[in-house]
Amino acid sequence: MESSQKRHDAAQAQYELGVSYGAAVDGDRQSNLEKAIACFQSALDSYTIDAFPLEWATTQHDLGDTYRVLLRGDKQINLKKALVHLQASLEVFTSEAMPVEWAKTQYSMGQTYMSLSGENRLVYLAKALTCFQATLTIYTPEGFPQEWASTQDQMGNLYCSLPSDDRYATLQEAITCYEAALTVYTPEASAESWALAHYNLGNVYTFLPGGDREANLCKAIEHYEKALEVNTYEAYPQHWANTMQSLGNAYRNLAGEESDDTLKKAIACYENALKVYTREHSPLDWAVVQNNLGITYNLLVEGDERERLEHAIDCFRAALQVYTQEEHPIDWAKTQNMLGLTYLDLPGGNLQEKLRHAIACFEATLLVYTQASFPIGWAAVQNNLGNAYCNLQGGDQQAYLRKAITYYEDALKVYTRHAFPYDWARAQNNLGNTYYRLHGDDRESNLNKAIASYRAALLVYNSEQMPVEWASTQNNLGNAYCSLQHGDRQQHLERAIACYEAALRVQTRRASPFEWARTLHNLGTAYTELTTGNIQTNLQRAIAYYEEAMSVDTSQRMPLEWASLLFHLADAYRALETGDRENNLETAISLYRSTWSIYTPESYPFEWAAGQNNCGNAYQELTRGNRRANMEAAETCYENALRIFLVLQMEEHVRGIRSNLEKVQQTLQSLY
């Protein structure tokens, strides 16, 4: 008997020492836990289930709990050891004989199962739920309010982690659990738990699918602000920063008419979080906030766009100081992609330099985003690269376009019409635009490919659900038909006209003035070339469309398109024989001369020379006024054009102008 008592006392001393190590706040926490485990195991050398069942079960429970929180070593092995000891304690702690200890052990087992990962994750979560539900058969809000609330809190966490076909319903269960916990938790009696429950509710409402998205985000903001009543910067700086980051995310995702106001609130929250998160002490949190700041600056509408996007670029670059391809490949790739998109949107500066920066970012992203691992992200980046190469200059432009086509076609390996209809249609439209811009001997083949791509896009785009995209694609399709030279030219023009007229059913001067004017311009051009019906009537229609397009002043925003419109209107007036012929020619001359404010011999030599030649033709035909002055003006125009076309080595144009010049000079000689 005396020997048994000594064993008990020795074991009790080891057990109490283990408890002391487990609770110690001084020294290395993980070392203390390992010492606690050694003490508990030593106690179990004497505590046996037969001799000291209660002490044995208590030690098994505490040993399991210690393994559960031990981080040193293999975490998953530690958790499995924890389960072994906790389950062992249940041989003594039964729901009938020792219900409170049984409930306490069920709670610890639920926490342990929740922490386990691997292929059986879903099984572990289901077992955790069973344990917590068992706990609640003993822990009631009346008898054990704090324990009941803590279990409800843990069940809320579990439902947030539990995969489900009905994610909305699962998260609603989490909300119910957190709200139940808050019937016990108060900011006075259990401030930290109360704040954490509100923080968790904020997270659930932020990510809750379905329902009223804006209302859910507003609820999330309310809960985060509640949490901040306890989690202040002074009292709990880490919790305060975590909540500020989450609050920023909620504001960033909040839709509404005052979107810029909510985005500015998001920025303020992120900048607050950065008062705690530093690159040195919490690099990953710091990088996450930098990334979120970059995204938010991208979303802002008001203010100086260049300044905003430069802020975004600085934030993404900052995040990439932490995110590396080797250690954080997915975050690194996402940030590279966002940085590339920001370069594409950045106004001003050197466009080609920005495009090259964007291409470098997208190509970096593809080092992580592979078709096999991230098919949707991979396809999106392929589309982005196509867009970048379409606009790249300073080299072989046609080679860049062919490269863009390859990227769009790769994107279409993932974007199928049935799985991703809108992405598929957008890629088809982009592909059509690229084929349209390709030149060379196979020009007609490329135009037919462009037409096929535009028609494919129109299988998804319709005037009711996607009117802007539908109208834009109709306009593009019209351009492709208008450019076809082989086959029935007049039929191609009639199809182009039908496409432009379809686009104008959606595009209006009020809703989309610049697109409306562009389509009218294209429609006018098609009519100038149409020979079916009365040619002069067609020209009159073209002039009417051109002049209607001119009611939108594009001279500042789109000066090249404005000059092109004037040039085509001048050509139409010069060809128009009905009405006052002399007035038509004078109008044409005035319009040609107006284009020269944009078309200069230095910047646009071909267009300037073409305008000089055509203006010369109009002066040559003009009989009103001083005939000799008209011929001299024509001669000057032809000489100007000849000088440029000689430099450009465009022999066919040179021959035509020399012929015109010879006729004018002969006429001038006859007038002396």
Side-chain angles (χ1 to χ4, degrees), residues 107 132 135-136 139-157 176-186 190 193-194 197 200:
Y107 180 83
F132 290 136
T135 301
L136 291 175
Y139 290 161
T140 63
E142 298 79 19
F144 301 90
Q146 289 297 324
E147 292 83 355
W148 177 83
S150 181
T151 306
Q152 292 286 356
D153 202 26
Q154 288 296 326
M155 286 178 64
N157 296 342
T176 300
C177 291
Y178 290 134
E179 288 179 341
L182 285 171
T183 62
V184 173
Y185 294 153
T186 65
S190 44
S193 297
W194 179 84
N200 289 336

Side-chain angles (χ1 to χ4, degrees), residues 469-606:
E469 293 82 356
W470 178 82
S472 176
T473 307
Q474 288 285 2
N475 182 65
N476 294 340
L477 181 58
N479 291 341
Y481 275 126
C482 213
S483 300
L484 278 174
Q485 301 298 320
H486 297 170
D488 189 334
R489 174 67 178 154
Q490 297 308 303
Q491 185 182 71
H492 298 328
L493 290 170
E494 287 170 359
R495 286 179 176 174
I497 288 168
C499 291
Y500 296 138
E501 289 175 341
L504 289 170
R505 293 204 297 269
V506 170
Q507 295 169 343
T508 64
R509 191 181 191 283
R510 179 185 295 273
S512 49
F514 297 108
E515 291 78 6
W516 175 78
R518 183 181 294 119
T519 304
L520 284 169
H521 181 178
N522 294 337
L523 185 56
T525 301
Y527 269 110
T528 62
E529 296 190 40
L530 191 66
T531 58
T532 55
N534 186 295
I535 294 176
Q536 292 300 308
T537 300
N538 292 340
L539 282 171
Q540 287 174 327
R541 283 184 177 177
I543 288 170
Y545 287 127
Y546 287 146
E547 290 182 337
E548 195 173 4
M550 286 187 67
S551 68
V552 176
D553 184 8
T554 60
S555 59
Q556 300 301 314
R557 179 168 172 171
M558 298 180 291
L560 290 179
E561 290 192 25
W562 176 78
S564 175
L565 176 58
L566 293 185
F567 187 95
H568 288 145
L569 180 56
D571 278 350
Y573 269 116
R574 184 170 58 83
L576 186 65
E577 296 177 356
T578 58
D580 186 333
R581 175 62 179 161
E582 296 300 300
N583 189 61
N584 293 342
L585 290 170
E586 287 176 344
T587 301
I589 290 167
S590 175
L591 290 165
Y592 285 131
R593 296 180 71 87
S594 294
T595 67
W596 299 339
S597 64
I598 304 299
Y599 292 156
T600 65
E602 296 78 21
S603 301
Y604 300 97
F606 175 82

Side-chain angles (χ1 to χ4, degrees), residues 21-22 28-38 40-41 62-83 85 111-112 115-116:
Y21 275 124
D28 182 81
R29 173 66 174 158
Q30 296 305 305
S31 294
N32 288 338
L33 291 174
E34 288 177 334
K35 289 174 182 176
I37 287 169
F40 291 140
Q41 288 172 333
D62 289 1
L63 181 55
D65 253 357
T66 308
Y67 268 120
R68 179 175 62 82
V69 296
L70 182 66
L71 300 177
R72 186 172 289 171
D74 188 318
K75 176 65 174 173
Q76 296 303 302
I77 291 175
N78 293 341
L79 291 170
K80 288 175 182 177
K81 287 180 180 178
L83 283 173
H85 293 292
Q111 288 182 299
T112 309
S115 300
L116 280 168

